Amino acid sequence: MVDQISGRVDSAFRAVRDSFEASFADGQNLGAGVAVYVSGRLVVDLWGGTADATTGRAWERETPCVTFSCTKAVTATAALRVAADAGVSIDAPVASWWPEYACAGKESTTTADLLAHTAGLPAFDRPISPSEAADPELMASILATQTAVWEPGTRHGYHALTFGWLAGEFVRRHAGSTVGEYTRRHLNADLHIGPAGPVLEQTARLASPPAVEAKWTGDSSPIDSETVTRMARAYADPNSLITRSTTNPRGSYNKPEVLTGGWPASGLVTTAGALASFYRDLIAGALLPRYILDDAISERVRGRDEVLLLESAYGLGYARASQNMPLPPAARETAFGHPGAGGSIAIGDIDHQVAFAFVPNLRRDWLSGDRRACQLIEAVYAAL
């Protein structure tokens, strides 16, 4: 499998290639890409493996893949840029631009609450179909009528899917476009939230490891056994917030109806190179004014997540190092970004001028010991 790795690395970052190759040699990866910019220069650009195990199609440099919640940082950037262009304060009440939202315990919600996972709407109250999820106006209208699970701004809990339609409504009402449309026009044309045509046809097919490799075991999990047990029980409960927030709407991300639906919290389809270049531009000040980005990546909440039941930390849509986004010591204080289900992650680091993205199609869980991304990031920072 190592001979299927393609691309280039600067000599100083050879250890990144070694780590990437090792992850294929030991079966941790099926197909994947990793890209790294340092001070605006591309120092790692690697890809390899299999994009579709059912056909044997190889992973190429331009093979896009679903990145799941890496989407949230892109959606947040779109909302923050729209706010800056429109002169709208992120701390203003949601009711000032979305009057229908001000009901059922949500009257005090601010736009910042929508971005910081403090809005209290982590899940839908009724089943949502993939066809409904493709209609952002409908999704927003459903959320506007729901009752907040907690008083907005007082607690935080991961809005796994609703985040996209909440933040996306700000974009839709102020910019007159969906997050996907806005992203392609103003952030990066190779970031596809709602892919179609050749991009959809080229998208890597997701796969899962054997069940025995997906178990949350005490020996391999990076967090304490009590937290793992608490989370496992919640995932087994169909009425828990963690289950309701992550499985509704339900749909396979290998199906076109889900991918083309443009889910703005989880549907980003892109390459590692394009995602890393997004963070390169973000930390360089090309997408947001520096003072806005500094405020957005500043930690607004940290602690036990009401939904995930472990430690999480967020700025305005960007995640910070925590149990939910484990980072090596060298990156913990300065890096920001977002992980995605199955192992994808992208981060930026203004202090170290690092932009990093790892995009795999074999879905592993870090609670089962997945360290692919963390080992790559460790190698990057060791080479700086």
Side-chain angles (χ1 to χ4, degrees), residues 14 39 64 145 158 360:
R14 174 67 205 196
S39 298
T145 63
Y158 193 49

Side-chain angles (χ1 to χ4, degrees), residues 335-356:
F336 68 95
H338 219 289
S344 58
I345 187 173
I347 62 170
D349 186 332
I350 297 171
D351 290 25
H352 293 94
Q353 284 296 291
V354 168
F356 170 97

Side-chain angles (χ1 to χ4, degrees), residues 21 30 76 88 111 140 219 235 243 245-246 253 270 275 353 357 377:
E21 289 179 343
L30 174 62
V88 177
T111 307
D219 292 337
Y235 270 111
T243 300
S245 68
T246 58
Y253 287 78
T270 191
L275 191 51
Q353 284 296 291
I377 297 170

